[in-house]
Amino acid sequence: MSMAATQVVRSEWTKIRSVASTVWTLGLAVVVTIALGMLISALSKSEFDNMGREDQLTFDPTFISFAGTSLGQLAMIVFGVLVVANEYSTGMIRTSLAAVPKRGTFLFSKIAVATALALVVSMITSFATFFLGQAMLGDLKASIGDPGVLRAVFGGGLYMTLIAMFSMGVAAMLRSPMLSLGILMPFFFLISNILGNVPATEKVGRFLPDQAGSKIMQVVAPLDDDVPYGPWGGLGIMALWVIAALVGGYAVLKKRDA
Amino acid sequence: MIELEGLTKRYGEKVAVNNLSFTVRPGIITGFLGPNGAGKSTTMRMVLGLDRPTAGDVRIDGKHYDQLKDPLTYIGALLEAKAWHGGRSAYNHLLCLAQSNGIPTRRVREVLDTVGLTAVAKKKTKGFSLGMGQRLGIAAALLGDPRILMFDEPVNGLDPEGIHWIRNLMKTLASQGRTVFVSSHLMSEMALTADHLVVIGQGRLLADTSMADFIAENSRSYVRIRTPQRERLLDVLHGEGVTAVEAGEVLEVDGDKAEAVGELAARHQIVLYELSPQRASLEEAFMQLTAESVEYHAHDGQPAGPVPPGQQQQQQQQWGSEWRKG
């Protein structure tokens, strides 16, 4: 890393640690993911005896414990959006680019710092979610040593990190926190789920970033599973979405006036 | 030194900055004057590489802004009242800027002290008054101890004490041999601080002159006369070859002719109620200057048929040279 980039990374770290939104978005992501995962794990255990034979056979205790991700990822989206788009909404972008006129260095230093922080928080969240969720599942629980489980837990951390990165790219393209959140939140909470589960759109919907990426957290595949990619393939598809968003964000920053 | 060469910025059909060429020199305060919307801020944003020029070029000490290594140590800028995250403390705002340009951390405390914000250094900036905000912006500009300083409307929203402080600061910076480039829409403010004046209107260069020359050329002096024997006085003045203009109740005679008019009136036994030498304010001169640029544009937009490009340019040149003749 060049001297200048080291300076900018230090500067971006100061920026990210000195605003309250970093703490509350990441804090919320941790709490919501773990709490909801524990709740749904506990409910699944008590409902297990009432489940159909088929559901009992494909019961996936690891995946169940990650149920809180669907809501916790929204806080991760807010984190990713605010890190980038707050530069625009506050007017800070002009000060930032006057200090660091190399726009690529500016954007990718910012994204590197925010991603590193998101990765640490996501990994801690993912392992905590797994172990606490399994504790709720009692005798139905999976062990971290079981085949595919460590991959799923590790992958859960990567999934959350990639969601944050995707949001950073989208925010860099749209340059407004409200617009970015207004598109990303309903998309990941509702629209993607609908597209991925309705038979008519299922075949396309499963290539959306969250649908493809969440495959990594699955250990037991459903019976009629015809998804054309595996856990790492799914995460790879999600990574392609992230790269596309970041390239788009960089192109916009490079081209537009600040 | 800041050099602008044919700098132009178009937003669609609208020309915000039109073919600006001038040089901002070190050791003096250069005032950048123009009415609101004249293109001052756009020009300053282009100097910093924030906005990309449609045409032309701007260089700082011979380099483009993005070629400067650690640019805050070359040029410090106060851009607008608020260009920072309100949730961050003043100290951390300056710290992240210092780190990005390899400026030692102790400079943060020094500039906070210079602008008088040490007591609120750890407070979130969203609670800052307009004046405190301006001081924080100036602290950021001074952070890298740059040789060039650029202030966009620095006295906006400041109380008299703050205005006084900024004027003295700019004078001190210029006396240290630094380049100081400051914009304003107030002629009176410029008259007090600037040594050199660049005037723009509608994005076009209207004047690039020393302050002393501008004052000499633009403050028209005349004599104001009130008399009950208006017609007689006019006849007498006419007979002497002096032109008087009727301005409502009063007559006005160009130049420093109070004594001559008084003696003439006495010789012809004309009663005078008032005979007073007057000097048009610089503010008036400035308004006249910029009004012409607005007028020129209004003609330009008339549907009388397009002006051939060559002719248009000629018109523009004539108009500019006319102004320079005074």
Side-chain angles (χ1 to χ4, degrees):
Chain A
M1 202 185 289
S2 76
M3 191 59 211
T6 319
Q7 290 175 6
V8 182
V9 164
R10 278 183 70 202
S11 159
E12 289 298 329
W13 172 243
T14 300
K15 277 187 192 173
I16 208 166
R17 68 170 175 76
S18 60
V19 290
S21 59
T22 304
V23 177
W24 70 255
T25 49
L26 292 178
L28 211 57
V30 175
V31 171
V32 169
T33 308
I34 294 176
L36 192 62
M38 286 171 75
L39 180 69
I40 291 182
S41 298
L43 289 174
S44 301
K45 178 179 157 38
S46 65
E47 283 296 304
F48 188 77
D49 292 336
N50 303 329
M51 283 181 190
R53 177 96 187 108
E54 204 173 278
D55 286 340
Q56 285 183 344
L57 272 175
T58 58
F59 189 78
D60 187 346
T62 309
F63 196 64
I64 293 280
S65 66
F66 281 109
T69 309
S70 60
L71 212 55
Q73 70 178 355
L74 298 185
M76 222 53 187
I77 290 168
V78 179
F79 167 74
V81 164
L82 291 188
V83 161
V84 173
N86 266 353
E87 288 270 350
Y88 293 96
S89 63
T90 61
M92 180 71 188
I93 187 72
R94 288 181 286 274
T95 306
S96 295
L97 291 180
V100 186
K102 300 254 191 284
R103 296 186 176 193
T105 308
F106 163 72
L107 183 67
F108 290 111
S109 298
K110 178 182 282 297
I111 286 171
V113 168
T115 299
L117 183 58
L119 181 66
V120 170
V121 172
S122 300
M123 280 301 167
I124 294 169
T125 307
S126 193
F127 279 88
T129 299
F130 173 75
F131 287 114
L132 291 169
Q134 300 316 306
M136 292 291 121
L137 283 163
D139 52 359
L140 294 171
K141 70 169 190 274
S143 159
I144 192 82
D146 293 347
V149 171
L150 183 60
R151 178 262 296 156
V153 179
F154 188 71
L158 292 180
Y159 173 86
M160 291 276 265
T161 309
L162 287 172
I163 280 282
M165 291 179 83
F166 183 72
S167 309
M168 292 174 214
V170 170
M173 281 192 275
L174 299 177
R175 318 204 309 169
S176 147
M178 282 306 132
L179 187 60
S180 308
L181 292 176
I183 290 174
L184 288 172
M185 300 278 265
F187 179 81
F188 281 115
F189 193 61
L190 286 174
I191 298 167
S192 168
N193 275 321
I194 294 168
L195 293 179
N197 288 308
V198 171
T201 54
E202 196 182 30
K203 291 238 175 332
V204 182
R206 62 175 52 137
F207 288 100
L208 292 171
D210 58 330
Q211 299 287 316
S214 57
K215 179 87 176 161
I216 193 93
M217 290 175 274
Q218 218 176 61
V219 175
V220 185
L223 278 181
D224 55 348
D225 191 21
D226 60 346
V227 177
Y229 49 76
W232 291 108
L235 204 72
I237 291 167
M238 188 185 190
L240 290 178
W241 280 96
V242 170
I243 290 167
L246 294 179
V247 167
Y250 173 67
V252 169
L253 182 67
K254 193 86 186 155
K255 195 169 136 278
R256 298 276 297 266
D257 288 340
Chain B
M1 186 141 72
I2 309 172
E3 293 158 291
L4 287 79
E5 221 181 280
L7 199 65
T8 302
K9 181 71 182 179
R10 260 185 227 105
Y11 296 106
E13 289 291 291
K14 197 183 169 299
V15 184
V17 173
N18 195 347
N19 199 21
L20 273 190
S21 300
F22 62 87
T23 300
V24 185
R25 293 191 310 273
I28 55 169
I29 300 175
T30 300
F32 192 29
L33 192 63
N36 288 329
K40 302 186 297 292
S41 295
T42 307
T43 303
M44 288 185 155
R45 281 202 305 273
M46 286 192 282
V47 172
L48 297 178
L50 296 176
D51 287 11
R52 204 159 272 116
T54 311
D57 205 14
V58 52
R59 286 168 188 270
I60 294 116
D61 289 342
K63 289 181 187 162
H64 285 131
Y65 192 85
D66 64 0
Q67 293 168 340
L68 299 174
K69 188 185 172 288
D70 298 332
L72 298 185
T73 62
Y74 280 84
I75 174 168
L78 166 75
L79 264 190
E80 50 228 288
K82 198 179 165 291
W84 48 75
H85 193 303
R88 198 172 281 132
S89 71
Y91 179 85
N92 281 325
H93 173 66
L94 295 172
L95 179 64
C96 74
L97 293 181
Q99 288 172 332
S100 69
N101 275 247
I103 298 162
T105 310
R106 64 170 166 80
R107 276 297 292 165
V108 173
R109 298 233 172 260
E110 284 173 16
V111 293
L112 280 167
D113 207 43
T114 306
V115 302
L117 286 179
T118 305
V120 291
K122 300 283 179 188
K123 293 241 159 60
K124 288 183 178 177
T125 55
K126 68 176 134 210
F128 280 18
S129 67
L130 204 51
M132 287 158 84
Q134 292 291 69
R135 283 167 189 266
L136 180 59
I138 288 165
L142 297 174
L143 193 61
D145 196 19
R147 298 300 298 164
I148 306 173
L149 286 132
M150 194 165 78
F151 301 121
D152 194 3
E153 305 267 1
V155 301
N156 258 11
L158 287 188
D159 55 12
E161 192 259 327
I163 293 175
H164 185 71
W165 174 75
I166 287 197
R167 278 183 200 148
N168 284 335
L169 177 74
M170 290 192 296
K171 283 180 181 160
T172 309
L173 292 167
S175 71
Q176 291 165 344
R178 297 178 212 255
T179 306
V180 181
F181 187 42
V182 54
S183 79
S184 178
H185 60 275
L186 298 173
M187 183 66 220
S188 52
E189 184 56 37
M190 291 289 93
L192 283 169
T193 46
D195 306 298
H196 194 88
L197 202 59
V198 172
V199 185
I200 64 167
Q202 303 272 321
R204 221 181 274 271
L205 186 69
L206 301 181
D208 180 0
T209 169
S210 76
M211 195 71 216
D213 285 352
F214 184 84
I215 291 171
E217 282 173 20
N218 285 286
S219 45
R220 179 178 78 103
S221 57
Y222 62 96
V223 183
R224 188 179 139 99
I225 307 154
R226 223 149 44 84
T227 170
Q229 293 157 284
R230 193 184 176 100
E231 297 307 318
R232 264 205 75 198
L233 182 64
L234 278 171
D235 283 348
V236 166
L237 288 172
H238 189 72
E240 294 287 323
V242 177
T243 321
V245 185
E246 293 184 63
E249 289 291 291
V250 300
L251 299 176
E252 287 179 8
V253 173
D254 266 346
D256 296 317
K257 297 201 181 89
E259 287 86 352
V261 172
E263 279 165 19
L264 208 59
R267 209 181 310 143
H268 291 86
Q269 295 191 314
I270 298 170
V271 175
L272 296 185
Y273 290 163
E274 181 185 348
L275 177 68
S276 55
Q278 302 278 336
R279 196 160 261 273
S281 73
L282 286 174
E283 207 72 55
E284 282 173 52
F286 166 56
M287 272 163 65
Q288 218 172 349
L289 187 62
T290 50
E292 281 175 36
S293 81
V294 174
E295 204 173 57
Y296 171 75
H297 257 254
H299 289 310
D300 209 12
Q302 272 177 6
V307 184
Q311 199 186 330
Q312 196 173 3
Q313 205 172 12
Q314 198 185 4
Q315 213 176 349
Q316 187 186 326
Q317 268 170 3
Q318 275 174 355
W319 174 83
S321 53
E322 237 169 67
W323 187 85
R324 278 203 183 77
K325 273 183 252 159

